[in-house]
Amino acid sequence: MNDCDVPRREHEHSFGEQFFRLLTRISRLLQQLSDRQMAYGCLTPTQLFFLKRLSDAGAPQPISFFADGVFSNRSNATQMIDRLEAEGLVTRARNPRDRRSVLVALTPSGEESLKEGYERHKQLANMLFAPLTESERQTSLEVLGRVLAFLERFQAENQPETPSNSS
């Protein structure tokens, strides 16, 4: 057996390598779990987050509301709204204050699906994270929140030059 045949120990990998490997594996497993939940007629995490944000707003919202914070752009938000509307979970209506704008509202079926989905999500999260202490849970959220903020700041500062932002 030569050095190439010996698996490297976890501590021999750089922080960045370990970090990205862990996040990739976590993301893949969460996606698989989400796919399994969908097979049982459950909302995806993205659908759940979308409906929760709409519910928390307390009133119908324009598509731009979802493109800011939920989806990367209006096109992705529109696609999600199309799917949710086809399932009877949201409706669209013209904005009475701006006829060029469309407002998205929860339907009674959407409210019920949100309530059921949120409860299932809560039960699943409690089950998955039961091995962590409350302190570990809080620390995890804080660290992941900081990582997200770093990544968002990095992305914003490293946008490619476009004709509109170069003079």
Side-chain angles (χ1 to χ4, degrees):
M1 181 186 273
N2 63 36
D3 288 340
C4 293
D5 296 329
V6 177
R8 294 180 70 184
R9 298 188 193 284
E10 198 65 31
H11 70 282
E12 294 174 351
H13 294 284
S14 71
F15 168 80
E17 188 177 352
Q18 290 179 60
F19 181 81
F20 286 115
R21 185 178 324 122
L22 286 171
L23 281 184
T24 299
R25 289 175 64 197
I26 289 168
S27 177
R28 185 175 45 243
L29 289 170
L30 286 174
Q31 185 60 53
Q32 290 170 356
L33 188 58
S34 172
D35 292 346
R36 249 185 270 140
Q37 293 291 312
M38 280 182 54
Y40 295 112
C42 300
L43 296 171
T44 67
T46 305
Q47 290 171 323
L48 185 62
F49 183 67
F50 184 100
L51 294 177
K52 178 86 169 89
R53 184 150 190 229
L54 179 56
S55 176
D56 288 349
Q61 296 296 316
I63 294 172
S64 60
F65 175 78
F66 304 101
D68 177 30
V70 180
F71 296 96
S72 57
N73 58 48
R74 288 175 60 98
S75 175
N76 290 344
T78 300
Q79 289 174 9
M80 175 58 72
I81 293 165
D82 289 345
R83 283 188 292 253
L84 293 173
E85 188 175 37
E87 294 176 28
L89 303 178
V90 300
T91 59
R92 294 178 198 192
R94 288 273 167 221
N95 185 340
R97 292 189 212 129
D98 179 358
R99 292 174 28 186
R100 298 168 295 165
S101 174
V102 172
L103 297 176
V104 180
L106 272 174
T107 64
S109 178
E111 290 175 15
E112 186 60 32
S113 290
L114 172 60
K115 193 170 17 173
E116 290 172 12
Y118 191 74
E119 194 53 42
R120 283 184 184 189
H121 175 77
K122 203 163 73 172
Q123 289 171 357
L124 179 62
N126 287 338
M127 181 187 72
L128 289 173
F129 300 111
L132 298 178
T133 66
E134 186 57 37
S135 175
E136 289 171 327
R137 290 176 192 195
Q138 197 57 43
T139 300
S140 298
L141 292 176
E142 290 169 9
V143 169
L144 289 173
R146 288 182 64 204
V147 168
L148 177 60
F150 294 150
L151 290 172
E152 288 174 339
R153 190 169 42 250
F154 178 83
Q155 184 178 24
E157 292 170 357
N158 292 283
Q159 291 295 319
E161 287 287 325
T162 61
S164 63
N165 66 7
S166 63
S167 300

